[in-house]
Amino acid sequence: MTAASRTPRTSRPGTTGKTLRTRGGLSLRVDPRAAVVVLLLLAVAVAAAVALIGTGDFPMAPADVLRTLTGGGTPAQEFIVRDLRLPRVLVGLLVGASLGLAGAVFQSVSRNPLGSPDVIGFGQGSAAGALVVIVLFHGDPFAVAAGAVAGGVVTGLAVYLLAWRKGIHGYRLVLVGIGAAAVLTGVRDYLMTKADLVDATRSMVWMVGSLDGRDWSQVWPLLCVAAVLFPVLLGHGRALRMLEMGDNAAYALGVRAERTRLVAMGAAVLLTAAATAAAGPVTFVALAAPQIARRLTRASGPNLPASACTGAVLLVGADWGSQRLFGADQLPVGALTGMLGGCYLLWLLFTERKAGRI
């Protein structure tokens, strides 16, 4: 029996799927609408990236940006694009995709639209780890990044253990995570009161979340992490979809529920920590990207590829909007996403309450 024949049809009415089969007997069901949405989101992400590269004190037309990227620009254009702006855009794309993918995993595991890394404490854990390095050890940027990753991993492990009770229940995970976020916010505020002026200023700049000044030293580590963890999570997409029907149904379909949850959550925590280490605690993206992707694809399940692409579009689009509206480097992208995220969270709570789910 092939994977496709074992998979129940859980898509919403009106959606159709096409089964692709290989000579080796493997099969894969593809939702045409979801595939088209992913391709369109990729095109929008590329267009937004080109527009962002051309935005700044030295504006460039999209044609000049593309010509420079293909090696046909002037020496000045080569320096501006390849050394100054391209790394920033790549960090934005990778951070947005990582947060969107991690948010989709946590919302799928918890079966709760509020199950986002920046709501259930993982982003705050990374921020607290980074502040410990800044305030107590006066670490350099590489040490701060390592502290952010360590803080995110430790927080993820603590939340998992505290939420464990013969398995992980979605609402218990969210409640424990919200409590952890509150504790870590208090730790962060306490560290700020103990910091001297220089470290406090440095901490505040980092905590806002920004793509300003990002270079290739942030691109390569994040790219390596994404290259390893993206396939791991995408490979667990079917299993996560089965888990949304309940552990008993997942077990009956051959899915090892707890192992799948542990692997998926571990990879999502690492992605969140790496993204936070590269750009600071950028909010809203992990919360909104999976919800927007679900509405665009109109498909059930975690929608992992669409969520990753939506996250990339949201973050790069927000960075472009902040530069166009407020000038280059005047408003950090994390401040803009935070404001938008607050409005989105209020709307989400209102719609969930109206639907009787909270």
Side-chain angles (χ1 to χ4, degrees):
M1 184 180 293
T2 63
S5 60
R6 291 196 304 266
T7 304
R9 297 176 65 91
T10 56
S11 299
R12 294 182 181 180
T15 61
T16 60
K18 181 177 180 181
T19 301
L20 303 178
R21 291 184 173 86
T22 66
R23 294 181 179 179
L26 299 176
S27 63
L28 176 67
R29 183 175 293 277
V30 178
D31 185 345
R33 180 186 176 92
V36 171
V37 167
V38 169
L39 292 177
L40 290 176
L41 287 171
L42 286 173
V44 173
V46 171
V50 171
L52 182 57
I53 292 175
T55 301
D57 294 332
F58 184 81
M60 297 175 61
D64 294 333
V65 172
L66 294 175
R67 185 170 58 251
T68 303
L69 289 173
T70 55
T74 65
Q77 290 175 332
E78 292 276 350
F79 172 74
I80 291 172
V81 171
R82 295 183 182 274
D83 294 339
L84 298 182
R85 296 182 181 173
L86 181 59
R88 173 181 182 144
V89 172
L90 291 177
V91 170
L93 290 171
L94 289 170
V95 168
S98 298
L99 293 176
L101 191 57
V105 169
F106 283 115
Q107 290 181 20
S108 178
V109 169
S110 65
R111 304 179 208 171
N112 191 317
L114 295 179
S116 170
D118 46 6
V119 174
I120 58 178
F122 302 126
Q124 289 86 343
S126 295
L131 288 186
V132 167
V133 174
I134 293 174
V135 175
L136 301 183
F137 301 102
H138 312 287
D140 58 25
F142 293 101
V144 172
V149 172
V153 171
V154 171
T155 302
L157 181 61
V159 170
Y160 185 86
L161 293 176
L162 290 173
W164 172 269
R165 186 180 178 184
K166 297 180 181 180
I168 293 294
H169 187 276
Y171 280 100
R172 187 162 59 241
L173 176 67
V174 172
L175 289 175
V176 171
I178 291 175
V183 172
L184 290 167
T185 299
V187 171
R188 183 193 66 189
D189 294 342
Y190 172 77
L191 289 172
M192 289 294 295
T193 64
K194 296 299 181 181
D196 58 33
L197 182 59
V198 174
D199 287 337
T201 303
R202 184 183 173 194
S203 300
M204 286 301 300
V205 171
W206 189 88
M207 284 193 303
V208 171
S210 175
L211 298 177
D212 183 30
R214 298 306 183 263
D215 56 28
W216 291 104
S217 64
Q218 281 89 30
V219 174
W220 295 119
L222 185 56
L223 182 60
C224 292
V225 171
V228 173
L229 297 181
F230 276 30
V232 171
L233 290 176
L234 294 177
H236 282 76
R238 176 185 174 276
L240 289 171
R241 183 174 181 174
M242 298 300 101
L243 282 178
E244 291 186 358
M245 299 188 298
D247 284 8
N248 291 334
Y251 278 123
L253 293 167
V255 176
R256 300 173 63 180
E258 208 53 51
R259 178 182 178 276
T260 299
R261 261 193 294 266
L262 182 60
V263 172
M265 289 179 62
V269 167
L270 287 173
L271 271 182
T272 303
T276 305
V282 178
T283 57
F284 166 65
V285 176
L287 175 69
Q291 299 297 315
I292 295 174
R294 185 183 292 268
R295 285 167 172 77
L296 291 175
T297 61
R298 297 181 184 175
S300 60
N303 288 287
L304 298 182
S307 297
C309 295
T310 303
V313 170
L314 286 176
L315 189 54
V316 173
D319 195 32
W320 177 81
S322 67
Q323 291 195 45
R324 296 287 294 181
L325 294 174
F326 301 96
D329 307 328
Q330 295 298 313
L331 180 69
V333 67
L336 181 59
T337 60
M339 289 185 286
L340 294 175
C343 298
Y344 179 83
L345 182 59
L346 290 174
W347 175 83
L348 182 62
L349 291 172
F350 174 78
T351 55
E352 290 293 302
R353 182 176 179 275
K354 187 176 181 180
R357 288 188 287 266
I358 60 174

